[in-house]
């Protein structure tokens, strides 16, 4: 099974900050990696697919990069609506979500 | 308009079998080449993928839960059903169904409303 790790598990940031979240896969997943945002009580929302492609309608301040085992989600100029939990998810072999990164208000 | 509507019990007893139904609308499993997964989230914890059925009816399962899970599809009713046997307290979670295309991009793009299932006697 492919295991996913994320760091940090949580972070505190202010509006306008640049935020970087990393995701690591236990084996090569190529670019078969998605990023989701989840707010309390809601279903996750797709942000980035295939490691670096922005889903339609997602603000340009979100970006993704990486391939193989190491991936990064960056949020440029954090906005109030971005405080949420972020999950990476691989689909190279079955499906696995990362443990999540909670972005909190500093 | 694509929607996934979940139904099922909110409370099950230990050792019982859970049956959840996801009724979809706005797309066809086969014509649109769409699959559906079940995903759960224990309170305050991370998402865990459980099972997936492709448009071809091929099925995949989480290896650690495979012996307890069955996913099935009824195309005529536009439904995907998940059964999980021998429920225990650790299975208390919000359960989601979610759509993923067989073709790229492979993303869970539409989700059900989620349903908290509590396991308690």
């Amino acid at each position: 099974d492919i295991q996913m790790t994320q760091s940090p598990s949580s972070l505190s940031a202010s509006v306008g900050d640049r935020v970087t979240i990393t995701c690591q896969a236990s084996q090569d997943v190529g670019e078969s990696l998605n990023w989701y945002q989840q707010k309390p009580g809601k279903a996750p929302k797709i942000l980035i697919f295939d490691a670096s492609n922005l889903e339609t309608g997602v603000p340009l301040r979100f970006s993704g990069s990486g391939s193989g085992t190491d991936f990064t989600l960056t949020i440029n100029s954090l906005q109030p609506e971005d405080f949420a939990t972020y999950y990476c998810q691989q689909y190279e072999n079955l499906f696995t979500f990362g443990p999540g990164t909670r972005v909190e208000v500093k | 308009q694509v929607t996934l509507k979940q139904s099922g019990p909110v409370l099950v007893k230990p050792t019982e079998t859970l049956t959840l139904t996801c009724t979809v609308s706005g797309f066809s499993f086969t014509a649109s080449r769409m699959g559906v997964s079940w995903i759960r989230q224990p309170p305050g914890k991370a998402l865990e993928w459980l099972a997936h059925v492709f448009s071809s009816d091929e099925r995949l399962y989480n290896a650690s839960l495979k012996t307890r899970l069955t996913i099935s599809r009824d195309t005529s009713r536009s439904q995907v059903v998940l059964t999980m046997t021998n429920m225990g307290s650790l299975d208390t979670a919000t359960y989601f169904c979610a759509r993923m295309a067989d073709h790229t991009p492979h993303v869970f793009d539409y989700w059900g409303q989620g349903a908290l299932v509590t396991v308690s006697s």
Side-chain angles (χ1 to χ4, degrees):
Chain A
D1 291 10
I2 298 177
Q3 308 301 319
M4 310 299 291
T5 57
Q6 286 182 235
S7 62
S9 57
S10 65
L11 65 91
S12 298
S14 301
V15 172
D17 285 353
R18 182 182 187 190
V19 167
T20 299
I21 299 168
T22 64
C23 172
Q24 188 166 57
S26 61
Q27 55 188 271
D28 191 337
V29 299
E31 294 182 337
S32 303
L33 190 286
N34 301 325
W35 289 96
Y36 296 83
Q37 176 194 67
Q38 187 182 32
K39 296 183 178 179
K42 301 292 188 181
K45 171 190 171 185
I46 180 69
L47 298 175
I48 302 286
F49 64 93
D50 295 349
S52 61
N53 294 279
L54 196 67
E55 176 73 3
T56 302
V58 174
L60 293 174
R61 62 181 179 273
F62 290 92
S63 64
S65 64
S67 66
T69 60
D70 296 295
F71 302 87
T72 301
L73 173 70
T74 301
I75 311 172
N76 284 303
S77 189
L78 194 70
Q79 297 301 298
E81 60 267 31
D82 300 337
F83 293 101
T85 301
Y86 294 85
Y87 293 94
C88 58
Q89 173 247 321
Q90 68 82 21
Y91 61 88
E92 177 67 16
N93 184 351
L94 300 180
F95 306 100
T96 316
F97 288 91
T101 296
R102 185 173 178 181
V103 177
E104 302 173 316
V105 178
K106 181 181 276 187
Chain B
Q1 180 189 3
V2 172
T3 62
L4 290 81
K5 191 169 186 178
Q6 300 174 216
S7 56
V10 296
L11 180 66
V12 297
K13 291 181 169 56
T15 75
E16 286 188 340
T17 294
L18 171 68
T19 299
L20 295 172
T21 301
C22 180
T23 303
V24 309
S25 62
F27 69 95
S28 161
F29 295 123
T30 51
S32 305
R33 293 182 58 212
M34 291 293 174
V36 171
S37 270
W38 285 95
I39 296 155
R40 72 179 179 180
Q41 186 170 38
K45 296 190 177 181
L47 300 162
E48 179 181 31
W49 172 77
L50 300 176
H52 185 82
V53 58
F54 290 91
S55 63
S56 62
D57 207 27
E58 178 186 357
R59 303 163 197 191
L60 299 177
Y61 294 98
N62 181 314
S64 64
L65 295 167
K66 187 173 183 176
T67 60
R68 300 175 52 207
L69 295 173
T70 301
I71 190 169
S72 60
R73 189 185 71 194
D74 185 334
T75 302
S76 65
R77 294 186 174 186
S78 297
Q79 291 180 336
V80 175
V81 175
L82 179 77
T83 62
M84 179 180 288
T85 61
N86 192 26
M87 293 289 284
S89 59
L90 294 179
D91 298 313
T92 292
T94 295
Y95 288 74
F96 295 97
C97 58
R99 185 184 84 160
M100 178 183 277
D102 290 359
H103 49 79
T104 57
H106 298 291
V107 299
F108 294 116
D109 59 353
Y110 286 90
W111 295 65
Q113 77 273 25
L116 176 61
V117 177
T118 301
V119 182
S120 176
S121 55

